[in-house]
Amino acid sequence: MPAAKRIRPLDLFTREEWAHVSQRSNLLGTGTVVHAWAVIALAMAAAIWQPWLAIIAIPVIGARQLGLAILMHEAAHGGLHSNRRINDFLGQWICAAPVGAHLGNYRNYHLTHHKYAQQPEDPDLGLSAPFPVTRQSLHRKIIRDLTGQTFFKQRRNQFANAMGLGIRKSKGQTNRAQSAREAVIPFLATNLILLAGLTIAGYWWAYFVLWLLPMATWNQLVTRLRNIAEHAVVPDHEDPMRHARTTLASWWEKLLIAPYWVNYHCEHHMFMHLPCYRLPRAHKLLAKKGVTAQMEVKQGYWGVLKEASSKPARPAVAV
């Protein structure tokens, strides 16, 4: 299968416009990482001060944990810093490792995802191919996410793979165990540092309630919502303007579901080297030119979920 079709930036932007929206900033790139951890720290501090605020802090922290994964994604495209070593250090140790991901492994398959977006060779196709599903199926998935079942299954499999359990000795499967170890060891190391820091501060319980619990629940849900919104039930797998979706998010959706401009996914696929902090500007320019009318753009995540769960339920069979 040939690679996914591309769009030339200068077919849609003037040279001056493109120079502006494609300009990278070390300050803005590293600033987003600082912002993610600052929000997490403030949410933790608020819940430690007033424990009832944990009801708000848990989804805020879970969304920022997704934000760390998004910033790892940005680092995979070299967008956090112009210095490759700094970019990769931030992406791996400050963003990826604390949430159980690995920048190098992610970068390898993610660039393949861009090359073959929504084609049979796309390694992420399994995230979108099952949709639409029934409303009942989506409800079950959401329940598994919010009750920690998804997190437990993923971590169990990741740790089992890292120890080589259940993996046959073959050339392809050996790499799977190595990849799991490369993610598990930094995950354990950075989480031990977090636990130690909170313990020294006198709040050891905050690691479990205000870091691990958000990761096991809300983070799993919003990660699923992100995956659904980006590529599920898109109208045309061959059109580079319609094989990914931009979801116009409200302020609360940006806070709790879609941090760091991840909702501008159609623009990201059209121009994958645009820094994430320039995507809103690119969207505005394309809207002024009438280009967004040709793109896959939806208003809000609720509408996307309704479409993704629009498959009719099977009628009950009479006995």
Side-chain angles (χ1 to χ4, degrees):
M1 177 72 68
K5 295 178 181 178
R6 302 290 174 198
I7 296 174
R8 293 191 334 121
L10 295 183
D11 287 344
L12 299 178
F13 298 101
T14 66
R15 290 187 182 275
E16 293 76 17
E17 289 170 341
W18 181 248
H20 175 70
V21 297
S22 62
Q23 184 179 11
R24 295 190 173 188
S25 165
N26 292 340
L27 179 61
L28 291 175
T30 56
T32 55
V33 179
V34 173
H35 180 271
W37 280 104
V39 172
I40 290 169
L42 288 172
M44 283 186 172
I48 290 170
W49 171 58
Q50 291 288 340
W52 67 268
L53 287 174
I55 298 172
I56 301 171
I58 287 172
V60 168
I61 292 168
R64 257 349 93 163
Q65 290 169 332
L66 171 60
L68 292 175
I70 292 164
L71 295 176
M72 173 199 67
H73 163 268
E74 186 70 9
H77 289 282
L80 293 183
H81 201 282
S82 58
N83 183 297
R84 178 67 179 261
R85 289 188 176 182
I86 296 175
N87 176 83
D88 286 4
F89 175 81
L90 292 171
Q92 169 59 20
W93 290 103
I94 312 301
C95 298
V99 295
H102 186 275
L103 174 63
N105 296 337
Y106 176 79
R107 176 183 279 139
N108 291 336
Y109 87 78
H110 181 67
L111 295 181
T112 303
H113 162 65
H114 272 276
K115 183 176 180 179
Y116 296 108
Q118 295 296 286
Q119 307 299 317
E121 295 85 353
D122 181 357
D124 277 350
L125 191 60
L127 298 175
S128 59
F131 293 92
V133 296
T134 65
R135 186 174 301 177
Q136 293 78 6
S137 174
L138 183 61
H139 287 172
R140 289 194 295 270
K141 290 175 172 60
I142 290 173
I143 290 170
R144 289 197 296 268
D145 293 342
L146 290 178
T147 56
Q149 296 177 65
T150 304
F151 175 81
F152 176 77
K153 181 179 179 180
Q154 290 177 350
R155 286 291 174 266
R156 180 192 63 192
N157 292 343
Q158 187 182 45
F159 277 69
N161 289 338
M163 293 184 288
L165 301 178
I167 296 180
R168 292 184 307 232
K169 298 296 183 181
S170 66
K171 183 176 180 180
Q173 298 296 343
T174 301
N175 292 335
R176 181 177 161 192
Q178 178 62 28
S179 296
R181 282 191 292 272
E182 288 172 352
V184 164
I185 293 172
F187 173 69
L188 292 176
T190 51
N191 275 256
L192 282 173
I193 291 171
L194 281 169
L195 175 58
L198 289 167
T199 301
I200 291 170
Y203 305 106
W204 62 268
W205 57 268
Y207 170 78
F208 298 97
V209 177
L210 300 174
W211 177 259
L212 204 57
L213 182 60
M215 188 187 299
T217 56
W218 191 262
N219 174 255
Q220 298 299 314
L221 173 62
V222 294
T223 298
R224 186 183 299 279
L225 297 184
R226 171 198 175 181
N227 291 333
I228 291 172
E230 289 179 348
H231 291 287
V233 290
V234 291
D236 192 338
H237 290 191
E238 304 297 327
D239 186 343
M241 291 191 187
R242 306 191 77 193
H243 65 208
R245 177 182 293 105
T246 282
T247 306
L248 302 180
S250 62
W251 68 268
W252 68 267
E253 288 174 317
K254 293 174 185 177
L255 175 65
L256 297 177
I257 299 175
Y260 305 120
W261 311 281
V262 70
N263 53 305
Y264 292 103
H265 202 62
C266 188
E267 289 83 357
H268 173 63
H269 266 266
M270 289 166 67
F271 314 107
M272 71 174 179
H273 294 297
L274 282 185
C276 62
Y277 44 82
R278 305 290 189 201
L279 291 173
R281 177 60 179 165
H283 179 84
K284 288 181 180 179
L285 287 172
L286 293 172
K288 287 182 179 179
K289 299 168 184 286
V291 177
T292 52
Q294 306 169 49
M295 297 163 52
E296 174 62 6
V297 179
K298 294 293 184 184
Q299 184 70 48
Y301 281 82
W302 179 250
V304 175
L305 285 179
K306 287 179 66 177
E307 189 172 350
S309 59
S310 60
K311 182 178 179 180
R314 292 183 179 180
V317 179
V319 178

